[in-house]
Structure formats: structure tokens, C-alpha cells
Amino acid sequence: MQNGNVGMSGPLVDSEGYPRNDIDIYQVRQARQTIICLQNDHAQLLDQIHELLNQYHAEIATTDPELINRASALELSNGREHGGSLAIPLNAKPLVVVNLVSPNSPAEEAGLRVGDKILRFGSINETNFKKSLEQIGEVVRNMQNQNVQLKIKRADQFLDLVLVPKTWVGRGLLGCNIVLPPEEPMEH
């Protein structure tokens, strides 16, 4: 007996309401039930995969500086003003201050100068900076030989620079020394 290609929604009864005699109704109902169970299992697995992927990416985003920096590079085009520079509030607090730049170093090549206040260092900005030079060091190590976008304040100017951490004749990968800015007194 053929099942007449009734599929998942074809009628199992004839026009008068009697079971069709050209199909095996029991076999069709069993097949439909099996398919529905498989579809439900599939949907449940997709939900679990989706939830675990979201968990994984949330974890990675907070722990893997290289991925954070790559995401930051993608964000650069989204956060730009009309002039092409990164949008940073005028009252943004510096993350670090440059207090030494060695000659012929990657920092000097990028255009950094003593006294520059760094407002953004790759993916690190005022909102996610933990006031730790180690956090910046981690970005430097993970972005060796790659462009790191900087937003700096020099006097009253805001500048965008590109720094490429790399080995050179001097110590470290940058050739500059940075320090945390002095704490500003709290206003009452």
C-alpha cells in the first residue's frame, strides 16, 4: 500500500470524514509523530548551541585581549566623527601619560611625544580601563607587529596615531615609558 504523499499536513480522511483506504494511516501517523519529535529535539539543540555560543563569546570578549583588540579595530569605523577621527568626549580622562620616548623607537615612529595623554589604546578606553599598566602591556604583547589605534591629547589637540609594537634595538616593544596620570582631587 502506498501512502499517497500525504506529508505532514495532507488529509487522513476522505471528503465524507472516513479514513482514507489508499494510505496506511497508522504508518503516516507514526512517521508524523517521529518527525515532530525530531523537529522538537532539533530546535532544543539549536537553543542550547545558541546559549552556549553566547556564553563562550561573552567569556572570550572579557578574557582574550587579542580578540578584544580585533573587535576594537572593527569598532573604529563605527565610532568616527565626520572628520574621520575617533569620537572621544572632550572631558575624557587620560588612561596613561607618556613620560619618555626613545629615539628611533616604534613610539617615536608613531609620533608619540613626552607629555602626550593617551585617551584610547587599541581596545582600551576610559570605560574598560582597570587602571593597570599590565592591561596595556597585554595589548602590546598581543598586537606585536600589528596596528594599534591610539587617541591622544596633546595640549588642546586630539590626535589619532597608529602605533606598531615591535622589536627594535632598544628595550621593550614600544620604546616609550607610560605612567598612570596623577589622581585629580574630588570636587565636593
Side-chain angles (χ1 to χ4, degrees):
M1 191 178 291
Q2 299 248 340
N3 286 328
N5 292 326
V6 291
M8 292 294 291
S9 58
L12 300 180
V13 293
D14 60 18
S15 59
E16 296 174 6
Y18 293 105
R20 288 176 48 182
N21 63 3
D22 62 328
I23 59 172
D24 183 348
I25 293 176
Y26 177 78
Q27 187 180 18
V28 171
R29 292 188 65 188
Q30 283 297 108
R32 285 181 178 179
Q33 175 65 27
T34 301
I35 291 170
I36 289 169
C37 286
L38 290 172
Q39 286 173 336
N40 289 340
D41 291 347
H42 182 254
Q44 188 177 15
L45 280 173
L46 284 178
D47 288 344
Q48 284 177 344
I49 290 169
H50 185 257
E51 185 179 320
L52 290 172
L53 276 173
N54 283 340
Q55 250 178 7
Y56 173 76
H57 286 289
E59 232 175 73
I60 289 297
T62 59
T63 59
D64 188 339
E66 188 172 345
L67 285 179
I68 294 170
N69 281 313
R70 293 196 195 294
S72 162
L74 295 174
E75 288 171 15
L76 291 179
S77 58
N78 297 339
R80 290 191 183 270
E81 299 167 340
H82 297 297
S85 64
L86 287 170
I88 298 276
L90 293 175
N91 62 348
K93 294 184 177 103
L95 309 175
V96 291
V97 178
V98 178
N99 70 355
L100 174 98
V101 177
S102 300
N104 303 316
S105 67
E108 186 184 61
E109 289 173 14
L112 278 175
R113 296 185 192 157
V114 172
D116 284 350
K117 295 175 174 80
I118 299 178
L119 306 174
R120 181 179 182 121
F121 194 99
S123 61
I124 303 172
N125 58 37
E126 186 180 4
T127 58
N128 63 6
F129 185 52
K130 299 173 184 145
K131 298 195 184 330
S132 163
L133 295 179
E134 178 57 34
Q135 187 180 5
I136 290 181
E138 206 169 324
V139 170
V140 169
R141 284 187 298 277
N142 286 310
M143 294 297 288
Q144 188 170 349
N145 299 315
Q146 298 177 52
N147 291 349
V148 176
Q149 303 287 331
L150 303 180
K151 181 71 165 186
I152 67 163
K153 183 176 182 185
R154 181 177 295 153
D156 292 331
Q157 276 189 312
F158 291 93
L159 302 170
D160 293 316
L161 301 178
V162 177
L163 175 64
V164 181
K166 58 187 174 187
T167 54
W168 62 294
V169 294
R171 287 186 53 220
L173 297 173
L174 299 180
C176 70
N177 192 50
I178 54 175
V179 294
L180 293 173
E183 289 291 322
E184 295 178 10
M186 300 273 285
E187 293 182 23
H188 294 286

